[in-house]
């Protein structure tokens, strides 16, 4: 376990730690930051297929969640910990995600609402496993609706199968597509911002969308 700064977005963090979590497919690495004061929820965020937890949108979402009073866990899948960029099969990454959620959503965090999510590939994992881990909500950053140039290979069923409140933040020029709002169930909120799949361009809009959604998702601490 190591302790230190949560990075450029880690304002208000009183504790940060990372450690390895055993899963059926190797060790995952989790980076956990706690907010000032009593936490009101737990958010787990996963990385993109070949990316990492330092992605701009993940760091932005983590900062917003910390500011809203949530414990944040940034998760590195076992294949990334092992040094591979190519993702493991869906069954393996889903099983690893479930094991990590069980490990984190325990002890003094067990009673907190669990919000899961991630960027691109990580959002897909969170959608597919949301019911299994008892998620109260799902946050998808740049959900890859289909492979670039292949709209017939839709991943939308993974998103529409989620039954809990879900926020999708999507760039208006994302080559992986933008979900058709008319095809989304009422529990899914789609916010389209300026930008591509990286979601690097419109940080204020992304921050505002996540903050407003989280405010409706978790009870804020009472100030005496």
């Amino acid at each position: 376990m190591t302790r230190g700064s949560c990075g450029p977005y880690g304002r208000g963090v009183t504790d940060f730690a990372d450690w390895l979590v055993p899963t059926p497919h190797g060790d995952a690495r989790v980076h956990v930051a706690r907010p000032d004061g009593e936490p009101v929820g737990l958010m787990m965020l996963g990385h993109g297929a070949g990316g990492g937890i330092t992605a701009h949108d993940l760091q932005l979402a983590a900062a917003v969640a910390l500011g809203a009073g949530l414990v944040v866990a940034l998760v590195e899948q076992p294949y990334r910990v092992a040094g591979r960029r190519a993702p493991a099969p869906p069954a393996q990454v889903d099983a690893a995600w479930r094991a990590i959620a069980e490990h984190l959503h325990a002890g003094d965090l067990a009673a907190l609402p669990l919000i899961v999510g991630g960027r691109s590939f990580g959002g897909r994992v969170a959608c597919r496993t949301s019911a299994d881990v008892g998620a109260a909500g799902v946050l998808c950053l740049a959900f890859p609706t289909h492979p670039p140039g292949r709209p017939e290979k839709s991943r939308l069923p993974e998103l529409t199968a989620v039954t809990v409140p879900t926020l999708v933040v999507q760039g208006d020029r994302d080559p992986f597509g933008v979900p058709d709002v008319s095809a989304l169930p009422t529990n899914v909120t789609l916010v389209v911002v300026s930008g591509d799949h990286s979601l690097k361009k419109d940080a204020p809009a992304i921050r505002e969308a996540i903050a407003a959604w989280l405010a409706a998702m978790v009870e804020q601490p009472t100030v005496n």
Side-chain angles (χ1 to χ4, degrees):
M1 176 185 298
T2 61
R3 296 182 183 275
S5 169
C6 192
Y9 298 99
R11 298 176 182 173
V13 179
T14 57
D15 184 70
F16 174 74
D18 62 86
W19 64 88
L20 297 177
V21 175
T23 83
H25 301 285
D27 287 344
R29 182 177 290 111
V30 296
H31 306 255
V32 178
R34 287 180 175 264
D36 291 328
E38 201 66 27
V40 297
L42 167 63
M43 176 178 279
M44 281 177 57
L45 294 173
H47 52 72
I53 61 168
T54 59
H56 177 85
D57 52 352
L58 285 179
Q59 292 288 315
L60 184 60
V64 173
L66 284 165
L70 283 79
V71 176
V72 175
L74 297 173
V75 176
E76 295 180 77
Q77 282 275 354
Y79 75 89
R80 294 294 287 138
V81 175
R84 299 189 298 273
R85 291 187 64 85
Q92 293 187 16
V93 293
D94 290 0
W97 186 261
R98 287 191 290 265
I100 299 160
E102 182 179 4
H103 177 89
L104 292 172
H105 202 206
D108 65 331
L109 305 181
L112 297 177
L114 172 63
I115 297 174
V116 296
R119 95 162 249 99
S120 193
F121 166 88
R124 295 181 65 193
V125 175
C127 285
R128 292 195 300 260
T129 59
S130 59
D132 297 337
V133 303
V138 179
L139 170 62
C140 294
L141 303 166
F143 185 87
T145 311
H146 57 72
R150 300 290 302 277
E152 74 280 3
K153 306 281 283 187
S154 176
R155 286 97 169 238
L156 202 60
E158 295 178 349
L159 178 61
T160 58
V162 179
T163 59
V164 295
T166 301
L167 174 64
V168 180
V169 181
Q170 205 81 1
D172 59 358
R173 299 187 304 280
D174 193 330
F176 288 83
V178 178
D180 180 357
V181 68
S182 67
L184 299 177
T186 56
N187 62 294
V188 178
T189 299
L190 173 65
V191 175
V192 180
V193 300
S194 179
D196 55 20
H197 195 63
S198 68
L199 289 181
K200 288 182 177 179
K201 185 175 181 181
D202 200 349
I206 297 169
R207 185 182 295 111
E208 181 180 356
I210 297 173
W213 183 72
L214 283 177
M217 286 293 300
V218 296
E219 181 180 353
Q220 298 302 304
T222 301
V223 178
N224 295 322

